[in-house]
Amino acid sequence: MRCPYCGSLDDKVMESRTMANGECIRRRRECNSCGYRFTSYERTEEKPFMVIKRNGRRQPFDHSKLAKGVERAFEKRSVATGTIENLVNEIEDTAIISCKTAREISTTSLGELILDRLYKIDKVAYIRFASAYKHFETLEEFLTEIKNAEDKKHE
């Protein structure tokens, strides 16, 4: 490890600690040339989790994008912030676990996963998200989705 003070590559590890539930190792180091102490972090490099868009493009999964969409669905609804955060984390975890080997998920599968979770918590948030996700263009599409939600409730 290069010393940030003098640039020497000769150092020794003074202390190592596991952090972030074993996902990271923090090492305190001391340069053997100048005595400067510094910290380094080691993380495993994983293949990023990807989302396959409708047009076939792939892009890295973005937690903040998921959170923004779910938060927008719950706007002005009486649902605790903690519940929303837990929901977003649960959706992300489920998506990653369900596609562990491929490390990618289609927007269709992700959208259905979100809708399923929203339906169980708040029907209005479900309809809001569905209207944006399914790109409703007519009142009939909107009403059909509401009827489908009502039919689910009676199953």
Side-chain angles (χ1 to χ4, degrees), residues 7-8 14 122:
S8 171
M14 305 296 291
D122 187 292

Side-chain angles (χ1 to χ4, degrees), residues 23-154:
E23 294 179 19
C24 178
I25 297 175
R26 175 185 178 267
R27 299 194 194 277
R28 281 296 289 156
R29 298 175 178 269
E30 183 177 348
C31 177
N32 289 330
S33 299
C34 70
Y36 184 75
R37 289 187 176 199
F38 58 99
T39 304
S40 66
Y41 296 91
E42 294 178 24
R43 299 179 195 280
T44 56
E45 187 175 8
E46 291 185 16
K47 181 180 166 190
F49 185 62
M50 303 296 282
V51 176
I52 305 168
K53 306 296 267 181
R54 287 186 176 129
N55 65 6
R57 277 186 317 120
R58 285 172 168 70
Q59 70 180 52
F61 177 85
D62 186 349
H63 178 87
S64 62
K65 213 172 177 180
L66 170 64
K68 203 180 302 176
V70 171
E71 287 167 2
R72 186 165 289 136
F74 281 110
E75 222 169 83
K76 296 184 182 176
R77 302 294 298 157
S78 59
V79 177
T81 305
T83 302
I84 296 171
E85 289 171 4
N86 289 339
L87 175 66
V88 170
N89 290 333
E90 178 188 323
I91 291 167
E92 181 178 4
D93 291 346
T94 304
I96 291 171
I97 289 168
S98 68
C99 303
K100 190 100 177 141
T101 54
R103 302 280 307 153
E104 58 187 28
I105 189 170
S106 67
T107 53
T108 304
S109 298
L110 185 58
E112 292 302 322
L113 183 63
I114 295 166
L115 286 172
D116 181 55
R117 297 303 195 285
L118 288 176
Y119 182 82
K120 293 174 184 171
I121 295 173
D122 187 292
K123 308 304 184 268
V124 172
Y126 167 85
I127 293 296
R128 284 178 176 172
F129 189 86
S131 68
Y133 167 69
K134 295 182 178 183
H135 305 288
F136 294 162
E137 293 184 15
T138 66
L139 181 59
E140 287 75 31
E141 291 173 313
F142 200 84
L143 294 172
T144 301
E145 190 64 35
I146 292 171
K147 183 177 179 344
N148 290 342
E150 281 296 311
D151 291 344
K152 276 187 194 180
K153 189 168 97 175
H154 298 300

